[in-house]
Structure formats: structure tokens, C-alpha cells
Amino acid sequence: MSREEQPEEVIPTVCASHCGGNCLLRLHVKDGVILRIESDDDGKPPFRACLRGRAYRQRVYHPDRLKFPLKRVGAKGEGKFERMSWDEAYDAAAKEIKRIYESYGPESVMMLVSAGDITALHGSMGFYALLNLLGGYSHCWGTFSFEGGLFAEYTTYGTTYTRNTRDDLLHSRLVLMWGWNPAETILDTPTTWVLGRAKEAGVKLICIDPRFTNTAAVLADEWVPIRPGTDAAMLIAMAYVMINENLQDQAFLDKYTVGFERYKEYVLGAEDGVAKTPAWAESISGVPASTIARLARAYATEKPAALIAGISPGRTAYGEQYHRAAIALAAMTGNVGIHGGDAAGRSYAALGSFPFLQVWMSMIDRQVPNPLLMNLPHRKYAPEAYYRDPLWGYGTAPGHVNRFEAADAILKGKAGGYPADYKMLLMVNTNLVNQYGNTNKWVEALRSLDFVLILEQLMTPTAKFADIILPTNTFMERNDMTFGEGIPMYGFQNKAIEPIGESKSHLEIVSELAKRLGINDFNKTEDEILRAGAANTPIPNFEEFKKKGIHLLNLPEPYVAFKDEIQDPEKKPFPTPSGKIEIFSQEIADWNHPKIPPIPKYLETWESRNDPLAKKYPLQLTTSHFWRRAHSTFDNVPWLRELGPQHVLISTVDAETRGINDGDQVMAFNDRGKTMVIAEVTEGIMPGVVDIPEGAWYDPDENGVDRGGCCNVLTKDARSPGGAFCTSTTLVEIKKV
Amino acid sequence: MQTVFYFDQTRCIGCSTCAVACKDWHDIPAGPVHWIRVSKIERGKFPRVFRTFLVSPCYHCANPVCALVCPADAITKRKEDGIVVVDREACLGSSCGLCLEECPYRSPQFGPENDATLQKCDFCLERWLEGKKPVCVMACPVEALDAGDLEELKQKYADLKEEATGFISPVKTKPSIVFRSKPWGG
């Protein structure tokens, strides 16, 4: 048939590229090639793709896609590889895995994963199952995105399903967008659309953020700049104003919470002699006392009001205190469990409509929990509620090593007090050299391992350190399912084209690798697994779902978290030890940890502007999410790169004192590393704060200076006592070069 | 009839999805050719900062000065819908460039190749003739863009303006775009 006779097909799929969004893409395919992409024309609300989804064609057909299995021939990190056949690759990987399990035991095997695509089937899940069947592995706990938020939700509410569906914001009178930037970071596809409509309907929106983000600029009525790591202080001072002016919803507090009196003692200063007044918070946060008082009054009186606690401020030292303080304030204003309010959880999961577990459980014939999980020393100070959560409880809470300390664990092993000596690292969809704290330490850690195996789509800075690379395909080359975190929807990713080169899906790879390792439990097809997974959801018709791409659940009204708990607390108590919202947590008190207080407290971070180190490195660094990437994904897509360089945002005053002009090449540095970026000089950032968005690809020169603008050469591989990842607790200096 | 763009400057979040969708749809490589651009306008002093955005496709002017100056008659304004189209075969190439000099919006685009011929936003003519709106309009995640007959748009949106922050509206070209504008401080 000639080209003209081949009809152009339009295949629906859903882009779920680790931004928390789910966007309809309609791929125009002809002769097996994606020619162009459309999105959602008429959906209400529209599940329209952002620039990332619209540029995906350049990602699928990127010249640097990994097309064959590769084995390392140069030094680790050098990036010299040789092509292998899949047979050779499977055999070589299986041989090394066997050798390490036999010689050093399962505890010497570490697995670190990320998402890339937030999908149900193709990803890390099968590999967890495989390693469990091989005898287990050393599990790392802690999620970068919102571990501080998880901690706060579990200890305060006893669950992580704390969010309303986005459309409920249309019922709010006031929305406090705290460190929350959906206009650039998505976090549920129509969120920005909904916020825009809320604004047009007269809802007042206020943005609290060190940066004048596009969310602040376009959606907010007011921008309140704040210093990083001080959000808890401002929230606690808002509590002070409410208590001092008797604005708190005392009836709500009496009925639904425990520990308010203890909190009040701390807030008023009875506990430590320091009244947490707006003036106290101003000196810490840089937010004028009058603004703090005004916002406190507004939040307490303009009901219903939604405090959306973004997860970014939680990525600081003691970030869990920020999240706990936000929840306490939502309870004090009685905005929990009502339309137009918000529980001020981590602004993430709402319905718990995950097909994840169903799909995962139906993937293989036999599921074995990690035999090592409880037998090796594991996480201390984990709230009991972690263990009950259907998704996060599955092996996450009692991990052996904290994910942010994994490089240190690899380098030091038992001698450094870690539970094992580590020999092998299996990585699935993770660019950890780039994305974990302290890049230079990771470089060392990866070089020290016996065997590094990675599944990747592109030659990332991390893949360069692998011994064997197994090339995976993208969501356009296989079938999978997605789901909305806070939007009641499911997505179907239809395979639109054949895999690029010899790349394969995660299911194909794990099934075949398992066979070579003597594990014969991966026998189901992609189609069988997805049908079985979908059968456990409210999707009525699988074929129709595939054809539409998106199945939106029709809820009679917006979903509101804790509505039942508020309407009938006798019948439905909160899933906490007390059955109430725990402003004071006895569970935490019992740990007796000085830096994990049982009530929310402001604890000054390390590397704050008052740290002696600030004399040498006076600027506080934040590592925001960038509008033209999803983490490190999309960084190499030309249509997105041309929209603007990797930058450091620096305030006009800080730039002037350093002789820096807009567009200058500058170096950001501290004792951990050096990185080169382009200065973007702006009035739209708190003086004393600079921002280097995360995700730019690490590209070291011969002197170890990163030329790629990777912020994590500067960040610390530390975690907060409650688990929060601390990338935005980092001091740096910037100079013109 | 004159088809026009509608741009709600109060809605635009500056994401450039319109620009990327345009490049994908028309298969334009990364590089100097942009049929539509999004520019940022920032004013004020910390902490009172104002920021807004402006889209710049070709505005398919009622009085297209580009067409008037083109020595090769390569630019035509279609009578039936007012869309300004280019005959790339007839264009004399970037060494001429009179259209670009004349256009106040720098809408005419030339590729990096030697003697590149003119290309620019064609209002997604192919889609338009199929009854579909331009791809930029259908791409906008916050529905800040629209396109259609001016009279229809007047019915659909209240209080249309011919001015917007950062937009030059020269009387002589009469650009075919109407706005909901975001004034400084507004």
C-alpha cells in the first residue's frame, strides 16, 4: 500500500510523567510513526497536556534513546559502553545477581527506584517482587517528595488520604497556597484551571512562597515572600494570633482534636518562655508581623477556607513540623471535613483510588513480602499508622536505610553503623546521581559498588555509572494504566508505536530476568494484568476505557476528606490512637526524641541564615520544580530546552552586591560542590534566597565542576529526624565567573 | 469576514504550551523559528512585583503591511477569512526580509538555513478549513486563548479590549486580536 492509502490513526493515551498530572494525549500515528499530538479538546474540566506532554514526540524519538542493552567498558561514570544482545545482557546480569546473593547475602543488595512515569504496571514493582522471591534485599525508606508530609499526616490524622478533590476549591472563600506552585508543577492536571475559575468566581487566593512563582503572579491576589525553612514559625504565629484574639473554633477543637491545650501553652510561651508572636515570627521568617496577623484573622474568620500545604516547604530540615503546624491551623479554624475547607495535609492523595496494588498483586502468581524486612535493623521513629496504609505501608515504613542516607550507607556499610555492607545496586527509572542530595557523594558511592544494574530510557548522568544498562521503552510503546491523585479519574495508556530499537517494557524485562534466575512466577501478559487490575476499579467497560483514554468518575459532589469523621465522629473516629486529630501525639511523646516534639514546633534548621556557615555561604538555596521538566525527565528535549536556560534565580539586591547581571554565567558553590548556571536576576525572590531548579543534568568537567546546573552538587544527603528530605536547607554562595 | 485571536491575559500562566504544541503540530524544529511566542512582562520592586504574559503569533492584521511591502507578492490576505498566508515558493528569501522589517510584531520567521524562505503562523489554516480551531487555542491548559469570528467572540466574551499590557497596537496594521487585559496592578 502506498503512503497515501495508509489512514492516519488517532490513538488516545495519558501522559503521567511524574508531575502528578494525568493529561489526555491523542497521538496521530501513520505508518507506525507518531506524527503529531493533540490533547483534550472538549473535556470539562479539560485534561489538557502541558508543554511537557506536547513535546513528548521529541522524547520518544530522541537521538539519545537507549536502543540496545549496554555493558560498561570504560571507567565508571565515563560513559563508555558496548552493545550487548538481550541474551548476553540477561545472562550477565543474572550471573552477577546470583554471585552477589550467594557470596554476600540478600542484605548486600540495595534497590533504589523512582517513577518517571506514574503508572500502575511498568516500573519498579515487578523488581521488588523479584528480589523478594530471591530472598529479599535491603530496603530504603523515605520518599523525597513529601516524607515530612507523610509523617505529619500519619501522626496527626492517622492516614494519608487527607485531600479534597480539586473542584471543591470552588466552594472556598479563601485559599492559602503555601509553597504551592501548580501553575508550573501541575500536581493534578486541571488544578490550575480550577484555581483560575475559583479566582474568577471571587475566591481570594494568597500565595506564601520565597519566589514570585507564576502561581503567585497569575492566580494569587497577594504574594507573601518568606524565608525557606521558617514556614512553621509563621504558621505557629498565626496560631498565636488566633488564640490571643480568641478566634479559634473551640467547639471543633473540643470535639475533634486532642492536645490543643498543650499546643496553646507552647504557642503562648508558657512552655519555654517564648511567646510565638507575629513579631517573633517576623524576625525568623522575614514576613511582616502585620501580614501574619492579617492572614491569621482572615483564615480564622473567612470560612470556608482552604490552606493548601504544598510539599516543597516540607523538603527542609524539620519539614515535618511545617506540615504538623499547617494541620493544627486547619483544625483550629474548623476547616477540616467541610466543603471549601481543606485538611492541610500534603496536598496529594484524595480518594485512594489507586489501581497500583491491584495491578501489582495481579502481576505474578506468587507475592512474597521481603523476608529481610523485619529481620534487619530498620527504621526507628516510624508512626504505627505507616504500617496500616495499603500503599505506603507495603514495605516502605520499616525500611533498613533511609533513602537520603543511602550513599553514606553504601560507602560505610556496617563499619558506619548501617545494617549491612552493600555490593549491588539495582536502579529502576532513577537518576539518583542527579536527584538525590549530595551528587558528589553519590558519584563516589556508585564507583565503590561491585555491581550496578539500571533500567533506563536515556543515557542519564546516573546510567553512566552502571555496569549493565537495560533499555526500557516509554509509555507510548506499551500499554499501562494511570490514576488521578486528587482527581477521581483513571487513565489508559495505549501502545501507539513499536518500541524504539530493542528497548523493552519493564514487565518483559523482569519476566525474562526472573526466568534466568530460576524464578518462574512471571507468567502473565500485559493485557491479562491490566484487565485484572481494572476489574478491581469502578471502570465499567475496559474496551471503552481503552478507547477513551480517560475514565472520569462522576461523583455527585466534590469529595471532601474526613467528611464522615466530622459528621459522625462516634461512628467514624479518626484512625489515630485517640480517634481524634492529634495536635499532641502521645505516640511521638513516647519516643522522647528532642527534635521530634509531640506538638508542632518551630525548630531552627541547620544551615539557616543564623548558622556560622552563613558567613562563608550567605545565600539560602531552594531547589524548586522547573516548569519545563518533570524532575530530570525532559531536560534534554530540544523544544523545551529552547524556552530558557537552567538558571539560578537571584534577587536584584543580591546580584548587585556581587556584580552579577541578568544572563551572566555564574558559579554556585559550597563545601559540597560547584555548579555553573545562568543568573536570572529578578525582583521576584526573597533577598538572601536563591533558587536553582532541580533536574538539570549533572555534567562534571575535568575539575569536578558541574557544568550542567545540577543543584544537588550543593545539597546535603541529610534527612530530618521525622524523615523529611532536606534539599531546600542548603547554604551557598554565588559568584560571577 | 475577519477571524481573530482572543487572548485572556489574566488567565495566561506563561507555560508556553501553545508554542510547543505549535512546533509539534507544524513540525518545526527547535531553533529560531517560532510561529507563536510567549513573552514575560515583569515590573515593580520586591515585594510588589507585577508579572504578566503576552502571546505573539501572527496577528493576521486587517491591514497586513508585510503583504504590502513584499516585492514578490508572496503574502496574501484571504478574503474569505482574513487569514494572512504565505507562498513560500514565491518568497525571495531572508536576504530580502522586508516583511520582517515592516512587521511591528516580528511575526515573519526565517529558518537558520541560507536564504530561508518566509514562514509564519497560518492560523492553522488546514485545521480551520476542517472547522477546528488553531492548535495553540486547543492546547492552552487554562483556556486563555480562543479564535473565531470577531462578532462571535464579542458575543462570547464581555468587555473585549484592543489593548493589553506589553502589546503595541499600531493603528496602521490593525492586528486581528482582542484581549481581556491585565493592567499593571490589576
Side-chain angles (χ1 to χ4, degrees), chain B residues 9 19 55 101 103 128 138 147 157 159 161 164 169 174 181:
Chain B
Q9 199 171 34
V55 285
E101 264 174 52
C103 174
W128 191 249
M138 300 319 290
Y157 302 101
D159 202 21
K161 297 267 191 292
S169 180
K174 296 198 175 79
S181 70

Side-chain angles (χ1 to χ4, degrees), chain B residues 45-172:
Chain B
K45 285 277 172 200
F46 176 88
R48 306 233 170 280
V49 193
F50 168 88
R51 182 186 300 157
T52 194
F53 303 93
L54 185 69
V55 285
S56 310
C58 167
Y59 297 116
H60 302 275
C61 299
N63 182 26
V65 287
C66 54
L68 294 178
V69 297
C70 178
D73 290 335
I75 306 171
T76 324
K77 188 169 178 66
R78 287 163 52 89
K79 283 203 171 61
E80 52 272 54
D81 44 32
I83 296 171
V84 176
V85 293
V86 174
D87 177 358
R88 291 188 74 177
E89 301 281 306
C91 171
L92 300 179
S94 51
S95 56
C96 164
L98 283 175
C99 54
L100 181 56
E101 264 174 52
E102 202 64 17
C103 174
Y105 306 105
R106 303 195 65 77
S107 296
Q109 302 284 306
F110 293 94
E113 66 276 13
N114 281 339
D115 232 14
T117 54
L118 172 64
Q119 52 179 311
K120 64 165 198 70
C121 162
D122 65 354
F123 216 83
C124 286
L125 186 61
E126 173 202 343
R127 290 173 61 95
W128 191 249
L129 296 177
E130 289 171 13
K132 292 181 188 163
K133 289 182 180 175
V135 76
C136 54
V137 170
M138 300 319 290
C140 180
V142 293
E143 296 183 305
L145 273 170
D146 205 345
D149 175 60
L150 180 60
E151 292 309 312
E152 278 169 34
L153 290 172
K154 276 182 184 165
Q155 302 274 310
K156 195 168 167 186
Y157 302 101
D159 202 21
L160 294 182
K161 297 267 191 292
E162 289 180 2
E163 302 282 337
T165 298
F167 182 67
I168 325 154
S169 180
V171 180
K172 69 169 182 174

